mmCIF file of all heavy atoms in Angstrom:
data_model
loop_
_atom_site.group_PDB
_atom_site.id
_atom_site.type_symbol
_atom_site.label_atom_id
_atom_site.label_comp_id
_atom_site.label_asym_id
_atom_site.label_seq_id
_atom_site.Cartn_x
_atom_site.Cartn_y
_atom_site.Cartn_z
ATOM 1 N N THR A 158 99.334 95.612 104.863
ATOM 2 C CA THR A 158 98.506 94.591 104.248
ATOM 3 C C THR A 158 98.668 94.641 102.740
ATOM 4 O O THR A 158 99.099 95.633 102.170
ATOM 5 C CB THR A 158 97.024 94.805 104.593
ATOM 6 O OG1 THR A 158 96.609 96.093 104.113
ATOM 7 C CG2 THR A 158 96.797 94.730 106.095
ATOM 8 N N LEU A 178 88.164 85.356 78.566
ATOM 9 C CA LEU A 178 87.686 86.268 79.611
ATOM 10 C C LEU A 178 88.804 87.226 79.991
ATOM 11 O O LEU A 178 89.967 86.812 80.139
ATOM 12 C CB LEU A 178 87.242 85.471 80.838
ATOM 13 C CG LEU A 178 86.660 86.249 82.020
ATOM 14 C CD1 LEU A 178 85.645 85.384 82.766
ATOM 15 C CD2 LEU A 178 87.740 86.692 83.003
ATOM 16 N N PRO A 189 106.094 94.433 92.855
ATOM 17 C CA PRO A 189 105.728 93.699 91.643
ATOM 18 C C PRO A 189 105.344 92.247 91.910
ATOM 19 O O PRO A 189 104.366 91.744 91.345
ATOM 20 C CB PRO A 189 106.999 93.794 90.788
ATOM 21 C CG PRO A 189 107.661 95.058 91.237
ATOM 22 C CD PRO A 189 107.387 95.146 92.709
#
Side-chain angles (χ1 to χ4, degrees):
T158 60
L178 182 150

